[in-house]
Amino acid sequence: MDKLLIGESDIGKIYAWENKLFAKNQEGVLTEIGGLDSDKFNAVLSEDGGRILYNRVEHKGTSAQTSCELTLLDLESGQETSLSRNDQAEPCHSFGWLGNHVYVQWNEYPAAYAGGTSFSVFDGKTGEQLESGQMYQYLEDNQTRIVLLHSNISFEERDGLEVSIRIAALTKDGAFHLLWEQPVYEEQFRDIQLSKTLGAMAIWTHHVPTNTARLWMASVDPEQWSSGEWTAVEIMPSSEAGRISFEEEGFVVLSDGRRFELP
């Protein structure tokens, strides 16, 4: 039969055929795996060969988002776990493994505005959602994402409280490397960008109650994914969403033309 090899697992070679998954043992016997009542699309094997991530809905991989019913299949136990952020199926753009964690990107990157791309990271064994947030920058060369992580305090529970916001580099092994963390209250993050050399970083924030804005700047060590001391500069607020660029060496340039020298 014309079957697609997914990879080598703990229980033998895994194949996909006619929207089903099969394991082939050392004796060459094929056995269907996973729930027999569901189709399985876009199956990908974890790095350690112990679990398979698949979609119960055919995902076209185009700009048109497809409803995602993502499922984790533990190959040893046969147990299946559904992955979702709101306990319901919803459209997603892409999904896959980062190390032994599952990364789901819910919409396209780049989005129409900075930070408009949302994502979740799930534990690849339990299916528990570990983090969620917004992606501001994707560094294709080293497959690293610059992300803002959501607070674990819900919007309804904040009630005027400051919440700690974290900005991190999410690397291809599924690790989060903290670059910035501050307690904030009703702060909008206009843009977050690393320089082209990856040696500097800038964050543009807007404080809604006081209509004030700040530009945060620091050096970055991309080898360790750590940041130096942050400098915050009070700047004139802008009524429009904006972007950060590093078009001029040694300067942060905002989309409205303002430029600030890196410390």
Side-chain angles (χ1 to χ4, degrees), residues 138-182:
Y138 179 61
L139 309 171
E140 197 163 351
D141 288 349
N142 52 17
Q143 299 172 53
T144 294
R145 296 163 171 87
I146 303 302
V147 297
L148 181 147
L149 299 173
H150 290 156
S151 168
N152 55 10
I153 302 174
S154 71
F155 187 78
E156 291 76 15
E157 293 174 324
R158 293 177 189 179
D159 191 28
L161 297 174
E162 287 187 331
V163 294
S164 182
I165 296 294
R166 296 160 295 148
I167 294 169
L170 171 57
T171 47
K172 62 183 179 181
D173 59 357
F176 288 94
H177 304 267
L178 188 65
L179 297 171
W180 185 94
E181 183 174 19
Q182 292 285 335

Side-chain angles (χ1 to χ4, degrees), residues 8 10 12 14-15 25 39 41 47-48 57 60 78 100 103 162 191 193 204 206 216 221 236 243 248 252-253:
E8 190 82 41
D10 296 348
I14 305 296
Y15 293 92
N25 63 17
D39 285 338
F41 300 95
E47 283 187 3
D48 62 8
V57 180
K60 302 295 186 181
N100 287 309
Y103 174 84
E162 287 187 331
D191 200 6
Q193 291 290 311
W204 181 2
H206 181 87
W216 302 76
D221 177 1
M236 286 290 292
R243 300 266 186 176
E248 292 182 59
V252 177
V253 182

Side-chain angles (χ1 to χ4, degrees), residues 178-196:
L178 188 65
L179 297 171
W180 185 94
E181 183 174 19
Q182 292 285 335
V184 299
Y185 170 67
E186 290 197 28
E187 199 93 23
Q188 295 176 345
F189 288 77
R190 293 290 173 86
D191 200 6
I192 303 165
Q193 291 290 311
L194 273 175
S195 64
K196 293 178 180 179

